[in-house]
Amino acid sequence: MVVSAKFPTFECIISNTNEEYDAEIEMFFLKKGELTADLKHLEMKDAEFASNYHKMMLYLRDLGTSIVELKDGPSYQDIVDLCMGPEIEDNVTDQVIKSKNETVPLLSKASLLVREIMFWYVRISKDKKFSKAFNPERFQGLPFVRLALTYRLVALAGRE
């Protein structure tokens, strides 16, 4: 007897549907979890900025909760406050390459991961069954998380 193997599915509580294992919704939450782990690593490595990484982790946790439970998105004002100052994103790649500070490439990776999360968020928002949960209002804090990480990268690289 031959049994036809199938890839697993998961019950999505946002849409109340069974989704394929490789669904965009799952990828978003996997990447959000990866970023949280990276932020925790940064929190342990960069004591001077540790409380700010913690704020970002709490924001991501609350963002996930607001998406799943269809609640208002979390406040991100504390993260916006980290982004005050001149636009200083020029030559970030060069700064990473030249840096001797091991925290700088970790910040670069985390910043790039936020961009990937933003990509998945927007992609998911275009699916009608998820558009209410992945709305533009909940998205607004993510660019500030990316910017705060980039500003920290530039600040640390500039100290060398």
Side-chain angles (χ1 to χ4, degrees), residues 38-54:
D38 287 349
L39 290 170
K40 185 63 180 180
H41 188 193
L42 285 162
E43 179 186 41
M44 293 186 294
K45 265 192 137 8
D46 184 6
E48 180 184 347
F49 207 71
S51 66
N52 296 318
Y53 298 124
H54 194 77

Side-chain angles (χ1 to χ4, degrees), residues 67-158:
I67 289 169
V68 171
E69 297 178 2
L70 295 176
K71 294 181 177 178
D72 289 341
S75 172
Y76 52 91
Q77 186 58 50
D78 287 345
I79 299 167
V80 170
D81 294 343
L82 300 175
C83 303
M84 296 294 107
E87 293 290 326
I88 53 174
E89 292 191 73
D90 294 340
N91 303 313
V92 170
T93 301
D94 287 337
Q95 292 183 45
V96 171
I97 292 169
K98 293 175 185 175
S99 180
K100 303 285 187 238
N101 184 329
E102 62 185 308
T103 303
V104 168
L106 297 174
L107 284 160
S108 179
K109 180 183 178 287
S111 177
L112 292 168
L113 189 51
V114 176
R115 283 194 164 171
E116 186 175 359
I117 289 167
M118 291 164 60
F119 162 82
W120 286 112
Y121 189 106
V122 171
R123 183 173 175 149
I124 295 165
S125 75
K126 295 175 182 176
D127 185 328
K128 286 187 180 196
K129 65 185 170 190
F130 298 120
S131 62
K132 186 175 180 183
F134 286 83
N135 63 31
E137 291 77 24
R138 285 190 189 93
F139 179 86
Q140 299 306 311
L142 290 171
F144 290 104
V145 173
R146 186 202 62 77
L147 191 59
L149 292 168
T150 302
Y151 276 20
R152 182 64 178 161
L153 178 160
V154 171
L156 289 178

Side-chain angles (χ1 to χ4, degrees), residues 4-35:
S4 177
K6 293 182 180 180
F7 288 108
T9 60
F10 66 95
E11 186 177 334
C12 179
I13 60 175
I14 297 169
S15 64
N16 293 315
T17 59
N18 277 336
E19 296 292 324
E20 297 294 321
Y21 184 73
D22 65 347
E24 288 86 355
I25 189 85
E26 184 162 18
M27 185 56 72
F28 171 82
F29 282 100
L30 288 171
K31 292 297 177 180
K32 189 179 78 58
E34 182 180 353
L35 177 59

